[in-house]
Amino acid sequence: MDALMDRRGGLPLPHRRFAPRLVPAPGPKPQPVAPTGTVACKGCNRRFVTERYERALRVCSLCGYHGVVPATLRATQLADRGSLHLADFSDVEDRDPLHFNDGVAYPKRIAEARAKTGLREAFMVARCLIGGNPIVIACMDFGFLGGSLGSAAGECFARACEMAVAENRSLVAVCTSGGARMQEGIAALAQMARCSQGVSGVAAAGLPYISILADPCFGGVTASFAVQSDVILAEPGARIGFAGGRVIEQATHDKLPDGFQTAEFLLAHGMVDQVVLRADLRDTVARLLGVYSR
Amino acid sequence: MTRSPTKMAEQERAAFRAVELARHPGRPRTLQVIAGCFSDWTELHGDRLFGDDLAVVGGPAFLESPGGERRQVMVIGQEKGRDAESRALRNFGMPHPEGYRKAQRLMRQAAKFGIPLICLVDTPAAHAGIGAEERGQAWAIAETLITLLELRVPVVSVVLSEGGSGGALALAVADRVLGLEQAIYTVAPPETCAAILYRDAGQRARAALALRPGVATACEIGLVDELIPEPQPGAHVHPEMVIAALRGSLLRRLDELCAIPIEELLAARRRRYRHAGG
């Protein structure tokens, strides 16, 4: 009789009917149904109630994995409550210098990205306060064509820099990107220079510029404005570099060291100022600007 | 545009032939251009931080006009190498962070002495490797871009054969950018683009057609100002002719730029890159 008793509660288990099905059911294999209102951590796959995960800023309480944050949510997380005002850059023109088509025409890809993210470009720019300090915040959205840097995105960042100078605000950029937008070819490369020019203007005005690097950040974005800041902060575990690890492995056939290109690896190599937990980002930025903006 | 598969394949092959032509080993290389255009060039080595990158060469020299007037210049360039041995030694013209930091050192030196800077671009891309990442490849390139944007002397860049990725742009932010007619100047080498866009580096010919990698495209969007004509079928048949034409252009451009007050020149450079790429 003991075998029928549940060890925890002593209540009898429901009777099971053993009818092993040897032939799989026709049609697609049934997927385990995710409970509604939950979300899985990309690091350890543990499921959280969405509300709780959002309250934790999309950081897993179990493994510490920092989940992807879209641009607008990122700005909301960093800004003082009620202080966020989006800049209207709807007059920034789209460019398609190469009439690029890789099966799907490039303008159509942009339209899809817009529908998916609700953003006009890979950059979202806003005015806000952080710890009471006036800021222009420029956030990249990895969901928008991999956060890639094209002419329109470059123009948004350049305007953000000019806005900071004109209104005497500090600049905060949250960078996450696969790099230059290949679909725009050489015009995308030029954006590295355009964004660098923007940073140079902010520096000439004596204004602080803090960049926050989130996973992943590569290519022409890392090799320009992402690391031209006064202070470089990185989120734990974020992969940051010029060439991607896979590219390096293929090109050199070298075995990549453990933790290669992670924020912690770069901190150890002297490339970033601090690795900061997402929950501490706002305070860290506020503290720094409190000192620099005097 | 025709979409028939055979026609497309033919166009793709033609596009990649243009890339191969730009990579022709007989095209004028940086050291050859330095020997042909400048006198009294003294090579300066090392970045004073880690090492010496042989993919980047640089040093002060004179640029002589036909009238015998000598103009001091600082020359920095990426060198791919000529034969198997030198190509390996120079890492196929792909600089490490040390190369960009050496370039920065020489740029600052040019500004100290108030002599114009000439940059010669010839690289498929910046080196992708473990050491390069550990020592901050992206940081080195980003810093070089800022250094050039703010450099208080006239800057002229020349895309000799191949300019690829931020690795090329790091030496191509200038008041005037020249390009040899059949050079290519791209956001990344066609192989890398294919790997990113089509997830298959083997589709490099397709990427080469789609990217329009010719330096003429860069000219259209205003990133390059002047094309130096080449003999048919390319500069490799008469490199000395092309070098002579390049020297003429450099002299003209330096005359033009040195006549402009430095503040005006910097303001124009800022405007140029504020609107770079449309």
Side-chain angles (χ1 to χ4, degrees):
Chain A
M1 270 324 264
D2 275 2
L4 284 175
M5 303 293 279
D6 186 297
R7 280 185 207 142
R8 286 167 298 176
L11 291 167
L13 286 167
H15 287 288
R16 279 201 191 152
R17 266 176 292 173
F18 292 99
R21 191 159 47 189
L22 298 174
V23 184
K29 198 177 159 197
Q31 294 291 319
V33 179
T36 49
T38 69
V39 59
C41 165
K42 286 256 166 59
C44 65
N45 234 355
R46 149 140 202 196
R47 298 204 78 87
F48 292 95
V49 175
T50 309
E51 255 174 63
R52 186 180 153 198
Y53 191 62
E54 293 292 335
R55 248 200 328 274
L57 308 175
R58 301 196 175 186
V59 177
C60 178
S61 55
L62 224 67
C63 70
Y65 181 86
H66 282 51
V68 173
V69 177
T72 316
L73 179 62
R74 172 72 75 170
T76 322
Q77 288 180 356
L78 288 170
D80 294 354
R81 187 165 297 178
S83 72
L84 194 70
H85 296 282
L86 299 196
D88 179 20
F89 288 166
S90 53
D91 59 322
V92 173
E93 283 174 43
D94 301 333
R95 304 271 169 163
D96 183 14
L98 301 180
H99 305 292
F100 198 89
N101 191 323
D102 58 349
V104 179
Y106 174 50
K108 186 148 179 267
R109 285 222 186 268
I110 292 192
E112 285 170 4
R114 282 188 181 149
K116 185 175 130 198
T117 59
L119 295 171
R120 256 192 78 79
E121 251 305 328
F123 253 118
M124 192 229 63
V125 177
R127 297 174 176 89
C128 69
L129 300 175
I130 297 181
N133 300 287
I135 308 280
V136 170
I137 189 166
C139 299
M140 301 193 88
D141 196 302
F142 194 73
F144 197 105
L145 296 176
S148 57
L149 183 66
S151 311
E155 173 69 18
C156 288
F157 184 76
R159 287 193 189 187
C161 295
E162 287 168 351
M163 202 156 115
V165 173
E167 300 173 15
N168 203 30
R169 289 165 179 267
S170 309
L171 179 66
V172 173
V174 182
C175 307
T176 170
S177 169
R181 192 172 294 169
M182 295 292 149
Q183 289 92 334
E184 291 188 24
I186 188 76
L189 188 68
Q191 302 314 309
M192 291 171 67
R194 180 188 250 176
C195 294
S196 302
Q197 174 53 50
V199 173
S200 169
V202 172
L207 294 165
Y209 167 32
I210 296 176
S211 62
I212 298 168
L213 313 187
D215 182 66
C217 192
F218 281 93
V221 169
T222 312
S224 61
F225 60 90
V227 302
Q228 288 165 343
S229 50
D230 300 304
V231 179
I232 306 173
L233 306 177
E235 288 198 330
R239 291 159 299 167
I240 301 154
F242 183 62
R246 196 168 41 89
V247 174
I248 292 171
E249 218 163 22
Q250 278 171 7
T252 62
H253 306 290
D254 289 337
K255 194 187 169 308
L256 304 179
D258 283 341
F260 182 60
Q261 291 184 322
T262 58
E264 294 76 9
F265 177 90
L266 292 169
L267 182 73
H269 282 86
M271 292 296 151
V272 301
D273 288 290
Q274 276 196 16
V275 177
V276 182
L277 292 171
R278 189 171 290 162
D280 297 334
L281 272 179
R282 188 209 310 230
D283 286 350
T284 308
V285 172
R287 194 172 347 107
L288 280 166
L289 292 180
V291 177
Y292 284 140
S293 327
R294 295 293 144 188
Chain B
M1 195 168 83
T2 168
R3 293 225 160 268
S4 96
T6 47
K7 201 90 179 235
M8 281 297 276
E10 180 46 46
Q11 285 174 347
E12 284 174 9
R13 276 198 296 277
F16 197 72
R17 270 200 300 277
V19 172
E20 282 174 329
L21 191 67
R23 291 172 177 168
H24 194 288
R27 286 180 67 84
R29 294 276 176 252
T30 289
L31 285 174
Q32 207 179 345
V33 170
I34 291 175
C37 285
F38 306 100
S39 53
D40 288 352
W41 183 66
T42 310
E43 185 171 2
L44 304 179
H45 288 278
D47 67 348
R48 304 293 188 267
L49 294 164
F50 181 81
D52 184 37
D53 186 352
L54 294 176
V56 176
V57 297
F62 285 115
L63 179 61
E64 262 174 272
S65 68
E69 191 200 340
R70 301 199 320 163
R71 196 186 269 292
Q72 301 157 276
V73 288
M74 178 66 78
V75 191
I76 302 171
Q78 290 152 333
E79 172 60 42
K80 276 186 172 179
R82 293 228 135 258
D83 45 36
E85 198 185 329
S86 66
R87 268 198 286 273
L89 192 70
R90 308 238 174 233
N91 195 30
F92 307 90
M94 297 186 290
H96 281 71
E98 300 80 79
Y100 293 109
R101 291 183 177 128
K102 169 161 71 177
Q104 286 166 30
R105 180 170 79 86
L106 299 183
M107 288 167 188
R108 283 192 293 269
Q109 198 176 101
K112 174 183 171 182
F113 294 115
I115 59 180
L117 175 69
I118 293 172
C119 293
L120 305 171
V121 177
D122 195 9
T123 181
H127 181 76
I130 294 171
E133 294 292 326
E134 283 176 334
R135 299 194 292 279
Q137 185 70 283
W139 282 252
I141 292 172
E143 190 59 40
T144 314
L145 291 173
I146 289 275
T147 306
L148 279 179
L149 282 166
E150 298 176 352
L151 202 71
R152 297 183 64 83
V153 286
V155 185
V156 179
S157 281
V158 189
V159 182
L160 288 180
S161 293
E162 191 175 11
S165 92
L169 185 73
L171 292 189
V173 169
D175 298 303
R176 297 289 182 272
V177 184
L178 319 178
L180 301 196
E181 209 176 17
Q182 308 222 33
I184 59 171
Y185 190 10
T186 58
V187 62
E191 292 81 1
T192 312
C193 285
I196 293 171
L197 287 168
Y198 316 126
R199 306 203 166 271
D200 174 14
Q203 297 205 37
R204 56 189 193 176
R206 188 178 162 202
L209 178 63
L211 282 173
R212 296 209 282 135
V215 76
T217 313
C219 210
E220 274 169 40
I221 66 156
L223 206 58
V224 171
D225 304 282
E226 179 189 333
L227 298 183
I228 314 276
E230 295 183 23
Q232 282 302 324
H236 55 280
V237 288
H238 292 296
E240 68 294 335
M241 231 169 89
V242 178
I243 290 172
L246 174 60
R247 186 166 156 220
S249 277
L250 285 175
L251 280 165
R252 254 184 301 113
R253 292 301 183 173
L254 283 188
D255 280 344
E256 174 196 347
L257 293 172
C258 291
I260 304 173
I262 186 67
E263 290 304 334
E264 245 173 74
L265 195 69
L266 284 171
R269 199 187 296 162
R270 280 197 290 271
R271 273 198 304 279
R272 174 191 177 114
Y273 287 101
R274 168 62 184 84
H275 300 288

